[in-house]
Amino acid sequence: NKNMKQIGLYILLICLLLACQKEDGITPGIGFENLYTIQDDPNDSIQHKRYELYTTYGVPVFFNDTIGKVFVKVDVNGDSVFRYETLDLNWTFSGSNSGSVTYQVTRLTDPDLMMKSLRFAEIFLKNSQPALYPYALWLTEKCYQLSSAGVEQKEIISRYRNLMFSWIDQMKEEEMQEKAIGFRNEVVKLKVQNYSDELNAFNNMLDESLYDKNWWKFYPDERIPYWRNSASLQVWYPWPLEEEWEQDSSYRKEMMTYGNFTNTNWPEGIWTNEEVDNYALYCRELVGALGFVSYDPEMGIRRTPRNTDIDLELYLIEMMKYNRKQFLERWEGSPLVIKRYEILYSIIRDELGVEL
């Protein structure tokens, strides 16, 4: 019996030694949180850029969805057991919805495109508030969303903790600033959409008959001021809401009123900047009286937003463009717009922690 006990003890010691060898550098007790710490490598420009983003913004950036493994234990066979940490695009606040949607992703491998993607990530973070920063950012070359609705190319996917950018190779360098701001607005929109009760209140303020209509349906007696070379344009639409008209003074030089213009307060002849600004305010009041803040960007300036989703998107763009004081001044003549704004403002500021 004594010999048998000694033999059993020797076998146990041998198993323990083998298990230690199989661990091969994996340190027990290291948690997943350490996998999200980016280490510097001054000799690797890509790794160094990842480190700079991490130290500046506190956001770890990855090129792979599997970011590491953690040693858990040695099983009964003497094999090391690991848990793998991955960036799951299906993970939401309430859990995983991986059964309904899957993603087909191509990883970044080209060094130049990896660096360009890191530059874009930096522009995004510079133009976003910390409350919008993800726990982790995954940069990919291509991404397709596969669902029962078909295949959709995805540039951005925002989930409870993680954020993914893709197709950055298709962006021109001069477009990256505008694109990053668009991605920021998309993140806000996706987060706001989680507050269904508040959004129902926002949407229910407007009758569905207002959507996807020509503006002149609501203002048949209005006429627009027109360019000298566009004298045939008579039916009203809110051209001053188009950003280029607001920012580029060259568009203001040749304005004159249509002969049968119903509001005689608008002068004929070439307008001053002040006169254009006054008319822009007048147009915002007409648009705001219906509860909208802009026209449908896909359907053309002559139509109202085609659905509630576009309507929400246009509100968020306007809200992210102007701070609270500027927004309230800009739409002070439109009580309905202000009421709808306050619903979204309370979500963005109080729930998401984003200051406007």
Side-chain angles (χ1 to χ4, degrees):
N1 289 340
K2 184 177 179 180
N3 291 334
M4 292 298 295
K5 288 181 179 179
Q6 289 178 336
I7 293 172
L9 181 59
Y10 290 145
I11 292 174
L12 178 60
L13 289 173
I14 291 171
C15 289
L16 289 174
L17 288 172
L18 290 173
C20 289
Q21 290 176 351
K22 290 183 179 182
E23 288 176 20
D24 193 23
I26 301 295
T27 304
I30 294 180
F32 283 125
E33 64 276 4
N34 293 282
L35 299 177
Y36 291 88
T37 301
I38 304 299
Q39 303 295 332
D40 191 18
D41 183 353
N43 298 318
D44 184 332
S45 59
I46 293 175
Q47 180 66 17
H48 182 66
K49 188 64 178 179
R50 292 177 64 214
Y51 175 75
E52 286 184 337
L53 293 179
Y54 178 73
T55 55
T56 303
Y57 301 102
V59 177
V61 181
F62 299 97
F63 298 109
N64 197 321
D65 61 332
T66 302
I67 64 173
K69 63 182 180 180
V70 172
F71 171 74
V72 178
K73 64 179 181 179
V74 176
D75 65 16
V76 294
N77 298 315
D79 296 320
S80 297
V81 177
F82 300 96
R83 287 182 61 190
Y84 291 84
E85 179 73 344
T86 61
L87 304 177
D88 187 356
L89 295 179
N90 284 298
W91 186 258
T92 64
F93 183 81
S94 58
S96 178
N97 65 345
S98 57
S100 59
V101 177
T102 59
Y103 297 95
Q104 180 179 308
V105 174
T106 302
R107 296 189 179 96
L108 284 166
T109 56
D110 178 71
D112 291 337
L113 185 52
M114 294 169 80
M115 187 59 75
K116 179 181 179 181
S117 299
L118 288 170
R119 289 199 305 274
F120 179 76
E122 183 174 28
I123 296 172
F124 170 83
L125 294 169
K126 278 183 178 179
N127 287 275
S128 301
Q129 295 193 20
L132 297 176
Y133 292 173
Y135 188 77
L137 174 58
W138 182 18
L139 301 176
T140 69
E141 181 177 352
K142 300 176 182 178
C143 179
Y144 295 97
Q145 178 177 287
L146 312 177
S147 67
S148 58
V151 179
E152 180 182 357
Q153 180 175 311
K154 301 293 291 186
E155 291 183 321
I156 174 175
I157 298 174
S158 177
R159 290 295 181 257
Y160 171 52
R161 297 202 322 165
N162 303 322
L163 184 61
M164 188 220 67
F165 295 157
S166 194
W167 299 97
I168 297 173
D169 62 317
Q170 296 185 350
M171 299 181 194
K172 297 179 181 178
E173 291 286 343
E174 61 270 21
E175 298 173 343
M176 291 172 68
Q177 173 81 12
E178 181 180 355
K179 198 74 173 179
I181 292 174
F183 277 25
R184 178 204 63 190
N185 293 346
E186 182 67 13
V187 170
V188 173
K189 175 185 172 183
L190 292 169
K191 290 180 179 294
V192 166
Q193 287 176 331
N194 291 321
Y195 298 86
S196 55
D197 291 342
E198 291 85 349
L199 276 186
N200 286 336
F202 174 82
N203 292 329
N204 289 339
M205 285 188 174
L206 300 190
D207 189 276
E208 62 181 17
S209 65
L210 298 175
Y211 293 98
D212 198 20
K213 297 291 191 303
N214 284 310
W215 295 101
W216 60 264
K217 291 282 188 180
F218 307 105
Y219 300 110
D221 296 328
E222 286 288 342
R223 297 290 184 272
I224 65 166
Y226 66 87
W227 257 343
R228 290 180 187 273
N229 63 352
S230 303
S232 62
L233 298 178
Q234 302 176 15
V235 176
W236 185 82
Y237 60 91
W239 58 264
L241 271 65
E242 194 166 6
E243 189 169 355
E244 63 182 8
W245 291 89
E246 292 191 286
Q247 295 185 353
D248 189 346
S249 60
S250 66
Y251 283 91
R252 301 166 176 248
K253 294 179 180 178
E254 300 266 338
M255 296 307 302
M256 57 188 299
T257 58
Y258 178 66
N260 294 327
F261 195 79
T262 56
N263 191 331
T264 57
N265 292 326
W266 304 119
E268 296 187 16
I270 297 176
W271 285 11
T272 65
N273 283 343
E274 182 180 1
E275 288 166 340
V276 174
D277 289 338
N278 289 337
Y279 184 69
L281 176 60
Y282 177 72
C283 287
R284 283 198 296 274
E285 290 177 351
L286 294 182
V287 170
L290 301 177
F292 297 123
V293 294
S294 191
Y295 57 91
D296 192 302
E298 297 296 328
M299 304 298 289
I301 194 173
R302 302 186 187 206
R303 297 187 73 84
T304 63
R306 60 187 180 275
N307 54 44
T308 56
D309 189 58
I310 298 299
D311 183 28
L312 171 63
E313 184 175 318
L314 294 171
Y315 261 84
L316 293 176
I317 290 173
E318 187 83 354
M319 292 174 70
M320 299 300 289
K321 187 187 303 182
Y322 302 102
N323 63 39
R324 179 173 175 80
K325 182 176 182 294
Q326 292 170 329
F327 187 99
L328 295 177
E329 290 177 350
R330 183 173 169 82
W331 295 97
E332 62 182 350
S334 307
L336 182 55
V337 168
I338 300 301
K339 289 180 181 179
R340 303 186 80 208
Y341 166 86
E342 294 293 355
I343 294 175
L344 299 180
Y345 179 76
S346 65
I347 298 175
I348 296 172
R349 183 199 60 182
D350 300 336
E351 302 297 332
L352 302 181
V354 178
E355 290 294 334
L356 297 175

